[in-house]
Amino acid sequence: QSLKNITLSNLGVKKKYRLESQTVEPYKLVIEELKKLPLRHSPTDKFSCLAEVYDLILKSIDDFYKTEHTEEFVLGAEEIAPILTYVIIKSNLPNIATEIS
């Protein structure tokens, strides 16, 4: 299967974290934020971008469920890792390894 067509389901993301909607691509704001990584030059700026990506993942989940749930979501590495993998793939950054090294 092509990575271009990868889905959150393919990566084993739990259904409640897939943020399935008819109108919006899941984690679109997160993907757009990660695309800004090449524009950052210092290690501190790059780290800030990655921290913002993490925060936006949590905010995306919170915003999606805002009207239905009152409890906060606590995600562990087993939930975050496949979501982050999806965001990295969908951001289509050609040199992601050099951007974070």
Side-chain angles (χ1 to χ4, degrees), residues 34 37 46 50 88 95-101:
L34 187 58
L37 190 63
K46 287 184 184 287
L50 294 174
I88 291 168
N95 300 314
I96 186 73
T98 57
E99 291 295 340
I100 58 175
S101 63

Side-chain angles (χ1 to χ4, degrees), residues 8-9 12-21 26-27 65:
L8 289 160
S9 178
V13 174
K14 292 179 182 176
K15 187 169 178 61
K16 67 180 177 180
Y17 299 125
R18 292 183 199 158
L19 311 187
E20 294 169 334
S21 169
Y27 301 101
Y65 287 108

Side-chain angles (χ1 to χ4, degrees), residues 9-58:
S9 178
N10 296 140
L11 295 170
V13 174
K14 292 179 182 176
K15 187 169 178 61
K16 67 180 177 180
Y17 299 125
R18 292 183 199 158
L19 311 187
E20 294 169 334
S21 169
Q22 298 296 324
T23 58
V24 180
E25 177 185 4
Y27 301 101
K28 183 167 181 54
L29 291 176
V30 185
I31 294 163
E32 293 304 317
E33 182 64 28
L34 187 58
K35 286 180 177 181
K36 296 176 186 175
L37 190 63
L39 304 175
R40 310 284 181 100
H41 298 289
S42 75
T44 303
D45 287 344
K46 287 184 184 287
F47 181 80
S48 292
C49 182
L50 294 174
E52 182 66 19
V53 164
Y54 175 82
D55 289 344
L56 281 172
I57 289 172
L58 299 180

